[in-house]
Every structure is written in C-alpha cells, then in structure tokens.
Amino acid sequence: PEEGHRRRRLQLGGGARRGAGFAELSWRPGYHDLSDESRGFVPGSAIEVASWRLRWDGGEKRISVRDFRALEIVSVSPFDPWILKPSWTVGTGLDTAFELGKEPSESLVYEGHRGTGLAVEPVEGVLAFALVQAEGAAGAALREGWRAGGGLRGGLAADLAPSWRLIADASLAGHPWGDATPNHRLRVALNWTPARDLSVRGELMIRGPHREAGLYGAIYY
C-alpha cells in the first residue's frame, strides 16, 4: 500500500466538444479509480466517495456541475474455476446526461446502477470484463422525469508499460420505462504517471450523439 498514490486527488484540465472548448476542475476525497496507476492497489478495484467535477463550457459560457458521485465501486476479479468470485459494480449520484442532446447545464440527472458479471486476465497486467447492468435516473431533463432499464457493459484495463495505463469502458443500454433515449457510451483513457502522486490523462468520450476529448493533470495528496 505504501507504493500507491495518496488518497485525495485534485484534477484540472480541459478539452473540446462540438467545436467549443471546456475547462474542468474536479476533486476526489478518496480513493482510487480504474484509470489511476494500479501499483499499490488491488488490481481491478475502484472506489470513489463524494467526488465532484465542475465544468466551464465555452459554448454556453457558464459553469455547471458535471457530476457528483456519492458512491462508485467497481470490483473486477479474474475468473477462477476454483473460486467463483463474480465481478460487480454499484454507483449512484448526479451525472450529466449528454446523450439527451441538450446543453450540459440543462442535462443534470440523479442516476443509480448495479451490475454483475465476469472478468478474465488473458495476459498478466490486462483485465477484460463483461457485466449485465440495471440502471435508472430521475430529473427534469428527462421526458416524464425518469427512466429505468439496463444493458450490457464491457471493458479493458491494461498496464501497457511502467507508468502507462489504458482503460476502455463501453455500454449498450436501453430504457423501456420512462425516457427511452438510448444511453450508449464509450470512454477511452490513457493515463501517464511520471511520479507516484502526479498523473496526466488523455480521454475520449462518446455518449449517444455527444463527442468530446480532453487532457487533464492531477495531483494526489
């Protein structure tokens, strides 16, 4: 544990969406996510509590809450025929529903999800996982004010080299109850850790018609 990054993370960065720029400030009181340097932590584990992001959007020219994760846990354990330990995730909090096609400041919803599945480790340092996930959300941005459904989620976490980590996380979801707008997602992140408590991360995100790319620097303390 002494080799891992410190618990708190302060992150600043920016990027582009729809031809306009944005800037983000985020803070996480604890502890770790799948994109962070895995050294010192249980491989495939992530837990965030009370983390938040604020975004200034160049298109809207205003500051809004990007998200507030009250709780986010991921446990991706390689399948072992001797110990049948499933992979799972659970999370809840505020999130910007970019897939609705509205301005970010008008798309904040409260969401929750729970998923379970399996993971494999095809080679050392690489984890691939697949989950079946149920999810729901409520908020004024949604038609009828709510939605409920689920779908499939899969991903890959790979230590490419010392200090370099790649994450790919995708989901295909539908909501037969409430707002039926599809919520298909893809997030790819490449994280570089030049020192134990410093990181630089490039990220691409697709959510429905929404596309954005960003670059972020973080300090752990």
Side-chain angles (χ1 to χ4, degrees):
E2 293 83 2
E3 297 180 359
H5 61 75
R6 296 181 183 178
R7 179 168 62 92
R8 299 179 182 89
R9 185 184 75 185
L10 181 65
Q11 181 171 282
L12 180 64
R17 71 166 192 98
R18 292 183 180 176
F22 65 84
E24 278 192 4
L25 172 67
S26 69
W27 184 66
R28 186 183 71 198
Y31 294 92
H32 179 72
D33 68 37
L34 289 180
S35 303
D36 292 325
E37 167 68 59
S38 60
R39 183 174 51 196
F41 292 85
V42 176
S45 66
I47 179 169
E48 297 185 64
V49 179
S51 64
W52 52 261
R53 285 187 283 181
L54 296 178
R55 172 176 289 199
W56 179 84
D57 189 276
E60 288 192 274
K61 292 183 169 46
R62 63 183 298 177
I63 296 174
S64 60
V65 175
R66 166 64 177 85
D67 61 30
F68 174 80
R69 304 311 300 162
L71 177 69
E72 191 72 37
I73 299 174
V74 179
S75 177
V76 180
S77 302
F79 175 77
D80 186 330
W82 294 97
I83 304 173
L84 300 178
K85 185 178 181 181
S87 296
W88 60 278
T89 181
V90 64
T92 188
L94 296 171
D95 186 37
T96 299
F98 290 106
E99 66 276 0
L100 298 177
K102 302 179 180 180
E103 294 297 339
S105 64
E106 301 173 353
S107 304
L108 198 65
V109 300
Y110 189 88
E111 71 88 31
H113 59 267
R114 176 71 168 91
T116 186
L118 294 173
V120 296
E121 188 176 20
V123 297
E124 185 177 357
V126 177
L127 283 172
F129 62 90
L131 305 170
V132 177
Q133 185 166 286
E135 60 183 49
L142 300 169
R143 291 193 295 270
E144 302 181 41
W146 68 287
R147 69 183 179 196
L152 300 175
R153 178 180 176 184
L156 181 75
D159 293 317
L160 302 179
S163 304
W164 289 91
R165 185 165 174 82
L166 174 70
I167 296 294
D169 191 345
S171 66
L172 182 65
H175 304 98
W177 302 283
D179 191 324
T181 303
N183 187 17
H184 310 329
R185 308 185 187 193
L186 172 64
R187 172 179 169 263
V188 179
L190 181 63
N191 193 74
W192 174 49
T193 308
R196 187 192 71 167
D197 293 319
L198 295 173
S199 75
V200 179
R201 180 178 306 175
E203 187 170 305
L204 169 68
M205 185 182 75
I206 298 174
R207 285 181 62 167
H210 180 80
R211 308 285 189 273
E212 70 175 50
L215 182 66
Y216 309 92
I219 181 170
Y220 304 82
Y221 65 99

